[in-house]
Structure formats: C-alpha cells, structure tokens
Amino acid sequence: MRTFSPLWLLLASQLLVGCESLHFPWEKGAATVIPGTGTVEAPQQAGEGAQCPEPVEVVCAEPEVKVVERVIERRFEKVVEVPVAKDRLVLGAVETVSIEPGGLLFESVIDTGSATSTLGVQELKRFERDGKEWVRLKLAAPDDGSEADATTVELPIKRHIRVVRPGFESQRRPVVEMSLTVGDITHMVEVNLTDSSSSKYPMRVGRNFLKDAAVVDVSRRNVQGEPSTPSNK
C-alpha cells in the first residue's frame, strides 16, 4: 500500500475545511491535526488572510420599567381644646341680643367676619336736627309681626360706610351707636343700618363687640340664653 507524506495530508485537510490560506508546520501558528479525529484545527491569526469569526447576533435586553406608585398621605386635623379665659364669654353661632334704645330682643348671628355690627330695620329715613344728620328707624322683633308693633327710634349719625357685596349694588349705610347686651356683657358699639328686615336674623354682631370680650364656638347655639338687660340686672 502506498503511503502519503504528512505534507500531502495537511494540504488535503486544509482544502476540506475551506481555509482561505495554507499554513505549513514550520510556519508560526501552523494548523494542527487533532489525533484520532482527523480534524484540522487552524489557529486564530491576526492580519490579512486570517479566518474571520462568524458573526454573532446580539439581542439587547428590554429596559426594565419600574412603576412608581405615588401615595399621598392624608393628614387629619387634630382638635385641641384651648382653655378660655375666665373673663370672656363663650358664644355660639347664634345668640339672643338685647338692643337699646328700643328694648327689643333679637336672635342674632355672631359674625366674626364683620368689623362692625349690622342691623336690618323696617324703615330708614334721614333727617337734619340742629345742623346734624340724624336717622329715624323702626324696629320690630321678627316674632312681633305687624308694623304697628314696631318701635320708632331716632339716633344721630356718626359716619357712613360703603358696603360692597358680590352680585349686589354697593350701599352707603349710616352708622350709629347702640347698646348691645349678650349674656351679662353690655357694650356700646357702632352699628351700621340697612333698610331690610326680611332676614331671619336682622342683627349681626361683629368684631367690634366681640373684641376682648368673647370667643365663639360655631358648633353651638344660644350658649348664653336670654341676656340680662341693664334694666333688670
């Protein structure tokens, strides 16, 4: 049997594996035959004519999406009981008020949002006396009913104020001094007059009476009861 030299075996193996260049055993980086398998392993060489690696498909991972849940913490107000000074009245949202002159009792709104107190009357007429401007007004408690039971009062006008309310025309109201009594406290305060008595509460007690005299608990009504007027104290 004819034998083949190792060189011919190397050339044949190079052709079988499809190499682009031939390498000889005495060259650096020559191909080697794996014993027992007949497979020729060609080394990786840099430079022109080297076998290029097969392209590998690279798949980029999907970006991780983080869902952030925003939680709004609701804070609840804490009710704190504040001690009230002993020399101040505690008033509810509505109290009975005695008005002088006139001697009438009115269920009145305690209005901390108004600087001055307000009184709605049945009739309001301005006139002049001794060179000064006065006002004639008729007072009747809501439960008294007819105009015949109204009390006529005349008072000097101290000044005027202009009241502007959304949706209404501005009003120029006269301001007089009246004595108001709530509970055991009587104060002489300024009261602005309006020609309107249709409201259920024609009297609104403002801050000029409450200042340094009372505190208001809007969750209560008629805390003080019927006032002690100066005539029956």
Side-chain angles (χ1 to χ4, degrees):
M1 181 181 293
R2 188 176 179 181
T3 60
F4 296 93
S5 65
L7 179 58
W8 285 106
L9 291 174
L10 177 60
L11 290 174
S13 63
Q14 291 281 345
L15 293 174
L16 289 174
V17 298
C19 293
E20 295 181 0
S21 62
L22 298 179
H23 301 283
F24 297 95
W26 56 83
E27 290 182 345
K28 185 178 180 180
T32 58
V33 179
I34 302 176
T37 63
T39 303
V40 178
E41 182 180 359
Q44 297 292 334
Q45 290 187 355
E48 185 179 359
Q51 184 178 2
C52 298
E54 295 185 3
V56 178
E57 183 179 0
V58 179
V59 179
C60 297
E62 293 291 334
E64 182 180 358
V65 179
K66 293 183 178 180
V67 179
V68 180
E69 182 179 2
R70 181 174 297 176
V71 179
I72 301 176
E73 181 182 358
R74 296 183 180 272
R75 299 183 179 272
F76 294 91
E77 295 182 359
K78 182 184 293 185
V79 178
V80 179
E81 293 187 0
V82 180
V84 179
K86 294 181 179 180
D87 58 344
R88 294 191 182 186
L89 285 180
V90 177
L91 304 181
V94 176
E95 294 288 344
T96 303
V97 179
S98 173
I99 299 176
E100 293 289 346
L104 298 176
L105 299 178
F106 287 91
E107 286 286 298
S108 308
V109 174
I110 308 302
D111 189 0
T112 58
S114 298
T116 60
S117 300
T118 302
L119 177 61
V121 299
Q122 289 184 347
E123 186 177 322
L124 186 65
K125 291 184 178 180
R126 294 174 174 85
F127 65 97
E128 186 175 326
R129 177 181 293 174
D130 298 331
K132 296 182 179 181
E133 192 174 11
W134 283 56
V135 64
R136 180 181 296 111
L137 53 102
K138 288 185 176 182
L139 292 175
D143 294 337
D144 289 346
S146 66
E147 185 177 345
D149 298 329
T151 301
T152 301
V153 177
E154 295 179 350
L155 292 169
I157 297 176
K158 289 195 63 178
R159 61 189 179 96
H160 288 85
I161 62 172
R162 185 166 295 279
V163 178
V164 179
R165 294 182 299 169
F168 296 88
E169 294 184 358
S170 62
Q171 295 180 343
R172 184 173 180 265
R173 297 180 181 178
V175 177
V176 297
E177 282 192 337
M178 303 187 78
S179 176
L180 306 182
T181 302
V182 181
D184 294 329
I185 294 183
T186 300
H187 283 168
M188 181 70 72
V189 297
E190 290 187 345
V191 178
N192 70 81
L193 305 175
T194 175
D195 190 4
S196 173
S197 59
S198 59
S199 173
K200 180 180 178 180
Y201 303 107
M203 183 73 198
R204 305 181 73 89
V205 179
R207 294 195 303 271
N208 59 347
F209 180 91
L210 303 173
K211 184 179 179 181
D212 300 328
V215 293
V216 181
D217 183 352
V218 295
S219 65
R220 304 169 66 184
R221 295 167 61 99
N222 296 310
V223 177
Q224 296 299 321
E226 188 169 322
S228 301
T229 59
S231 60
N232 57 18
K233 280 187 178 179

